[in-house]
Amino acid sequence: MTTIDYSVWDHIEVSDDEDDTHPNIDTPSLFRWRHQARVERMEAFQRKGDELEKVLAESKKKLTEAQKKVKELEGASTDEGKAELAKAQAEEKAARKEERAAERKLDEYRSEEKKQPWNVDTLSRDGFSKSVVNVKPESKDETEEEKEEKHKTFVEKYEKQIKHFGMLRRWDDSQKYLSDNPHLVCEETANYLVIMCIDLEVEEKHALMEQVAHQTIVMQFILELAKSLKVDPRGCFRQFFTKIKTADQQYQDAFNDELESFKERVRGRAKIRIEKAMKEYEEEERQKRIGPGGLDPVEVYETLPQEMQKCFDEKDIQMLQEAISKMDPTEAKYHMKRCIDSGLWVPNSRTDGDEDDKEGEKDEEPKYEEVKRETAEEEK
């Protein structure tokens, strides 16, 4: 059986006129002054909380930048690089300390906020303008296989909805769609949107990539907010949209900076993927060209002397034999063997039917009747 805790009702400032007043004092005016003073105290307290959240956001951003710098400098071999790495590590340590201090101050503020007595202003406030489900995310560590299977199952079920969210543009549309589909507020959606961005950039759909990137950062900001508040992300996404739509310039700049940084990372990942695909394609084509001796005809052609390359270009066997006759025998034999092993040339020894003639010619240079230049010319 669930027990209701009624202690939250112990300290409620319900009325402005609960105290006795002097008969010579204008009571309505006194009530207005008291009310105004309380409202100003509440606003000042709220501003303090907003400022602490900004400080925490800035410290997180600073720590992220410091960690990124350390990662870039890892593996430095020069003395200058090692010095830069040590400096970056010191900055990371300081940033982490600053973040912890900011989190501690914000926790103290929230603890103090819970102790604030209720009054006519807070009691009459719309309690459903935002929902915060005070449930901590599961701390159970998942294996990589479990994460992959969870992501795969989620995407198979909600891929169409995730793509729809990725195409939205207006804050209000995004908030409404997540209100109708709160199951989308999770890591799996953010991960799929990241992959979607990279795919679009590879396909050179740059404008569409930037749109989906915006929605990706929206989801990531919601997840970060939930992490800082230690609540379920589904319970605080409305709070994010309230903040972003009414945010000051500093908060908006933080969002835009993260968005631009993310788009640059997407472009970098897309470039790497394209380069990898090109290398794989080139290797496949190279394997198709490999000759009987395991050599690539294109690579062999590029290492031939200019005179021999000209023979290939002209497809003139007589010219080739003349060029070979003018070369050092060892060098000529080396190049011709590579041509044979690559399939660039197909040798055919003379067969006259005379065994004696064959025996006498076995030490002679082989004759060549076919030039395989198609592949090399296409690559050239």
Side-chain angles (χ1 to χ4, degrees), residues 53-102:
E53 287 185 355
K54 292 177 186 176
V55 171
L56 179 59
E58 285 296 318
S59 63
K60 285 182 177 293
K61 180 181 177 183
K62 187 175 180 181
L63 176 60
T64 300
E65 293 174 350
Q67 290 174 332
K68 182 180 178 181
K69 188 174 181 181
V70 169
K71 190 173 181 181
E72 291 174 350
L73 293 172
E74 284 180 347
S77 57
T78 63
D79 293 339
E80 183 179 356
K82 292 178 179 178
E84 287 292 328
L85 176 59
K87 181 180 178 182
Q89 290 173 335
E91 292 176 354
E92 180 189 9
K93 184 177 180 181
R96 192 181 301 279
K97 184 177 180 181
E98 182 179 331
E99 181 194 35
R100 290 174 180 171

Side-chain angles (χ1 to χ4, degrees), residues 2-224:
T2 304
T3 303
I4 300 176
D5 183 8
Y6 291 97
S7 63
V8 295
W9 300 92
D10 290 344
H11 304 285
I12 302 177
E13 298 176 1
V14 177
S15 176
D16 288 313
D17 57 0
E18 60 188 15
D19 297 331
D20 294 332
T21 60
H22 194 278
N24 294 333
I25 296 177
D26 179 19
T27 301
S29 297
L30 179 61
F31 292 160
R32 286 195 300 272
W33 295 336
R34 286 178 176 174
H35 179 264
Q36 181 62 32
R38 185 175 65 244
V39 170
E40 290 177 355
R41 288 197 304 270
M42 290 170 58
E43 291 177 348
F45 188 77
Q46 183 63 41
R47 285 196 297 271
K48 178 182 177 182
D50 293 341
E51 186 62 31
L52 288 174
E53 287 185 355
K54 292 177 186 176
V55 171
L56 179 59
E58 285 296 318
S59 63
K60 285 182 177 293
K61 180 181 177 183
K62 187 175 180 181
L63 176 60
T64 300
E65 293 174 350
Q67 290 174 332
K68 182 180 178 181
K69 188 174 181 181
V70 169
K71 190 173 181 181
E72 291 174 350
L73 293 172
E74 284 180 347
S77 57
T78 63
D79 293 339
E80 183 179 356
K82 292 178 179 178
E84 287 292 328
L85 176 59
K87 181 180 178 182
Q89 290 173 335
E91 292 176 354
E92 180 189 9
K93 184 177 180 181
R96 192 181 301 279
K97 184 177 180 181
E98 182 179 331
E99 181 194 35
R100 290 174 180 171
E103 288 178 342
R104 185 170 59 254
K105 289 181 180 180
L106 189 58
D107 289 340
E108 292 173 355
Y109 169 83
R110 290 184 181 131
S111 178
E112 184 180 352
E113 184 180 31
K114 292 179 180 179
K115 297 176 182 178
Q116 293 289 319
W118 293 0
N119 52 60
V120 291
D121 295 300
T122 53
L123 283 174
S124 60
R125 183 180 300 164
D126 181 7
F128 295 95
S129 60
K130 65 177 181 179
S131 300
V132 178
V133 181
N134 203 11
V135 179
K136 292 183 179 180
E138 295 181 3
S139 57
K140 179 185 176 182
D141 293 332
E142 297 178 322
T143 64
E144 290 300 321
E145 291 77 10
E146 290 174 338
K147 290 180 180 179
E148 184 177 350
E149 183 60 30
K150 183 179 178 182
H151 176 80
K152 181 180 178 181
T153 303
F154 184 86
V155 170
E156 289 176 351
K157 189 174 182 180
Y158 300 115
E159 183 176 14
K160 186 176 180 180
Q161 294 180 355
I162 299 173
K163 288 183 176 181
H164 182 87
F165 174 76
M167 300 301 173
L168 297 177
R169 295 179 178 273
R170 299 174 63 250
W171 298 118
D172 291 338
D173 293 339
S174 296
Q175 181 176 351
K176 184 179 185 305
Y177 195 73
L178 292 181
S179 297
D180 296 337
N181 303 278
H183 53 272
L184 295 181
V185 188
C186 61
E187 288 282 352
E188 285 71 33
T189 295
N191 294 338
Y192 184 85
L193 290 174
V194 171
I195 297 172
M196 188 175 172
C197 287
I198 298 174
D199 289 342
L200 290 171
E201 184 65 19
V202 170
E203 296 169 8
E204 298 186 351
K205 298 177 180 178
H206 308 301
L208 197 55
M209 180 279 287
E210 294 187 358
Q211 171 56 36
V212 178
H214 179 275
Q215 296 299 91
T216 305
I217 299 303
V218 167
M219 186 58 63
Q220 289 183 349
F221 260 60
I222 293 173
L223 296 175
E224 284 299 318

Side-chain angles (χ1 to χ4, degrees), residues 276-292:
K276 182 180 179 181
M278 289 299 296
K279 288 180 180 178
E280 291 177 351
Y281 172 77
E282 290 173 358
E283 181 60 25
E284 289 177 1
E285 292 300 309
R286 179 178 178 277
Q287 290 299 323
K288 293 177 183 178
R289 297 193 305 261
I290 295 299

